[in-house]
Amino acid sequence: MTPNPIERADIRRDYLLKGPTQPILKSFPQMEMYGKMRRFNPKWYEEFGSWLEYSVSQDACYCLYCYLFDMEVGGSGSTLEAFVSVGFKNWQKKDKIKVHVGDHRSVHNRFYQAGQDLMKQKQHIDIAFSNIFEQQRIDYRIRLKASLDCARYLLRNGQPFRGHDESESSNQQGLFLETLKCYTKPNKEMIHVVLQNSPDNHKLTSPKIQKDLAQACADLTVKEIISDLSDDYISFLVDEARNIAIKEQMAVVLRYVNLKGSIVECFIGIIHVSDTTAQSLKAAIDGLFSKLGLSLSKCRGQDYDGASNMRGEFKGLKSLILADNKSAFYIHCFAHQLQLALVKVAKHYKKIQEFFDMLQKMATVVGGSCKRKEILLMNQYKQIVERIARGEILTGKGLNQETTLKRPGDTRWGSHFCTVTSVISLYSPIISLMKIIEYEPKNDAARTDAGCILYAMEDFEFAFLLHLMQLILRISYEFSQALQRKDQDLLNAIGLVKVVKSRLQEVRDNDFDELLQETNIFANKYDIDIPNMEDVYCPKGRSRRRLESFTFLHYFKVELFNRVIDTQVQELGDRFDNVNTKLLECLSCLDPRDSFATFNKEKLIEFARFYPLDFDELADIPFLSSSLSNFIVDVRADSDFVNWKRISELALKMVEKRKEIVYPLVVWPLWDLFAFSSISVYQLFIEVVIEEIG
């Protein structure tokens, strides 16, 4: 095996330290040359002793330096070959030795100088490079630390890195370079090393380096999160969205209870997915869990935004996770589910979908320019003045404020109700604005949209849907606001959902006539033609011969009123199923309010039975019953547990008082289970937070 350059240099140095092999014999071997006996002359050692070697076995002379350096320098010639490989034996021609030495430009002298340089340690290239590399290593660490500190600062504050132009002549280089300048400004030596005197390709400020630093911070942070998790129960929250490059991504958050009893939610990553089908999302989650060393068997909860591909009963992500782990129950924020139930109705009933599409188009046209908004406010002002003059509305502080047309959004709670309400209150100003836009020059698209909106708004069916959706949305809006309160307890939240269902059923049974009368008053006020309810209904632009014959009354009551409310009630029933409701009802029995007034041992045992992998029916359930009885007597007698209002606060106090040691089945793992079934109000807006890494 050929030695590497460092090993080769060490071998040569050892040979040179030993010096040339120059044996002194009593008599050297003789050979006949040109009729005379000749032999090696040991006096040559004195003249060429610094390099001349004699081999007894070969009876030949060699050159130490030429032998050691011949392959590296690449010399050639008969005398060189004689003193390197063959050996010099021409004893009668001493001049040949002098020819081998030659002048200062000879190959021998080049080899000799190479040997002398090798023996000078202070001038050796290894030493020179070592000195250079040590300083470069110090400078590199200074630059790396500066770039890393700036990256962590920007990540911690959620700030973007790159600028559009990061060249030195640019006045807007981006936050990373600007932060780096501020970081090094107080220290002149650091400025010199980091920015001024560093090589252009070694400043550690390129976009790729910035991404690598951010990724390194993220990897270390996730590693700390997994370490803190310590193989306990987990729940995960998932949301999907497109990035600026129109690529589908999935954000994942872990929720768990740490050793201090605190409920922790940590963002652990964004995963690119090829599509948003349930199978692709499930594969992405499996890949992430495998990478982090987590297992779905430890999952006790899953939460998504409620979209069909996420929570579908048969093919959704929720069902795929439950197929692997029966204990990974799906629990979602109640207020958000109410909103999603409305969206589901809008998507699955054509008339409602067309109605909200028209409201969306209306908001787009009105918000298309500041001029249109100003016209709308002026029309509203005139309407308010006229109504005050007619005595229809009262005046006073805080009354009759200016409002705008709100835009409905599928994920914005209560936005549909606010939109419908604003359209009803601004009906006349919107009509006036649309008539102005309809005759605007040089804006064909807006004129076309304004004409369509006018055509729809002047129809009785649009007015009826406005009041119908306001009635339905007002019921769910009030309860949605109540469900969003952070101090809302679980039992009341479940009760509110039941009230929404019963209230909608009550409206369906009793409130149609009142709604129709209210719509007629609205239509008369704004000169909308009211159809005769006994006439045969025919949609505009459709032939009567191809349609089923029924009256306008049947259409508005059965096809619109009853059908919309029935769809609403059915969707609420699907989203708030019996399993989730039962879980939360049982969990509410651990509510510490009013000295554990809702405590119920039987329901807590029923709650434990939802998790057969964690509570064995024969071994754990009987002991859990006794442990719960002791637990409630203990905490009710302790004054430290009197004033707590939330289960999460109770968890912290239990760990502080070391109750988890006394009641392991009550605290761990039961604590882990309920922590992930909370209906605390949140929306999954993911923000990368990088903590200080030690």
Side-chain angles (χ1 to χ4, degrees), residues 218 221-229 234-238 251-258 262-270 288-289 292 294 676 684-691:
T221 303
V222 171
K223 184 178 180 181
E224 290 297 320
I225 293 171
I226 301 303
S227 176
D228 182 54
L229 179 59
I234 60 171
S235 177
F236 63 89
L237 293 72
V238 176
V252 183
V253 169
L254 285 187
R255 180 180 170 95
Y256 62 95
V257 178
N258 63 15
S262 299
I263 298 174
V264 181
E265 290 182 1
C266 292
F267 168 75
I268 60 170
I270 296 178
L288 179 64
F289 273 47
L292 299 179
L294 301 175
F676 309 130
L684 199 53
F685 294 119
I686 303 302
E687 179 179 345
V688 180
V689 178
I690 300 297
E691 305 232 353

Side-chain angles (χ1 to χ4, degrees), residues 456-676:
M457 292 183 70
E458 292 174 348
D459 186 59
F460 182 82
E461 182 178 320
F462 183 86
F464 181 83
L465 288 175
L466 268 178
H467 289 81
L468 172 60
M469 295 312 299
Q470 185 188 41
L471 176 62
I472 295 174
L473 295 172
R474 183 186 291 118
I475 296 172
S476 58
Y477 180 78
E478 294 172 352
F479 292 106
S480 177
Q481 297 299 311
L483 289 171
Q484 292 178 50
R485 291 174 52 193
K486 292 186 178 181
D487 61 345
Q488 183 67 57
D489 62 89
L490 299 178
L491 206 55
N492 279 335
I494 298 169
L496 288 175
V497 174
K498 294 179 179 179
V499 170
V500 172
K501 295 180 182 179
S502 60
R503 181 75 180 92
L504 286 173
Q505 188 63 43
E506 181 183 341
V507 167
R508 184 190 186 281
D509 297 337
N510 305 319
D511 290 1
F512 174 76
D513 293 336
E514 183 180 347
L515 175 66
L516 185 60
Q517 182 180 358
E518 184 179 352
T519 307
N520 288 337
I521 295 173
F522 182 85
N524 287 325
K525 180 179 179 180
Y526 294 108
D527 297 327
I528 300 174
D529 292 336
I530 302 175
N532 187 345
M533 294 297 158
E534 300 302 325
D535 290 346
V536 176
Y537 170 77
C538 179
K540 294 182 179 180
R542 303 286 297 276
S543 174
R544 294 177 182 271
R545 292 176 296 180
R546 299 181 181 178
L547 297 174
E548 182 181 354
S549 178
F550 50 80
T551 64
F552 275 95
L553 181 62
H554 175 88
Y555 172 72
F556 285 114
K557 184 174 183 178
V558 178
E559 297 297 323
L560 290 183
F561 184 79
N562 290 350
R563 186 174 177 182
V564 170
I565 295 180
D566 289 344
T567 308
Q568 183 80 73
V569 173
Q570 181 181 358
E571 184 64 20
L572 288 174
D574 292 340
R575 290 189 176 271
F576 302 96
D577 57 43
N578 292 331
V579 174
N580 294 350
T581 304
K582 195 66 177 177
L583 275 171
L584 295 176
E585 284 180 350
C586 295
L587 180 60
S588 65
C589 296
L590 272 177
D591 194 334
R593 301 171 192 237
D594 301 324
S595 190
F596 295 86
T598 60
F599 181 83
N600 187 314
K601 183 174 72 174
E602 286 71 24
K603 285 191 175 182
L604 288 173
I605 293 175
E606 183 181 358
F607 178 73
R609 286 194 172 100
F610 279 100
Y611 301 92
L613 297 177
D614 305 297
F615 294 92
D616 185 82
E617 184 68 30
L618 299 178
D620 295 328
I621 296 300
F623 185 75
L624 177 61
S625 175
S626 175
S627 183
L628 285 169
S629 299
N630 295 337
F631 164 78
I632 193 61
V633 173
D634 190 356
V635 294
R636 281 176 174 171
D638 194 335
S639 59
D640 290 338
F641 291 89
V642 173
N643 298 321
W644 301 109
K645 297 182 179 180
R646 303 181 67 183
I647 299 179
S648 57
E649 297 172 348
L650 174 64
L652 290 170
K653 179 57 66 173
M654 292 290 290
V655 174
E656 180 184 335
K657 302 285 287 186
R658 301 179 66 82
K659 297 293 185 182
E660 80 280 4
I661 301 175
V662 182
Y663 308 107
L665 283 180
V666 179
V667 182
W668 321 111
L670 191 56
W671 235 240
D672 289 341
L673 302 180
F674 75 69
F676 309 130

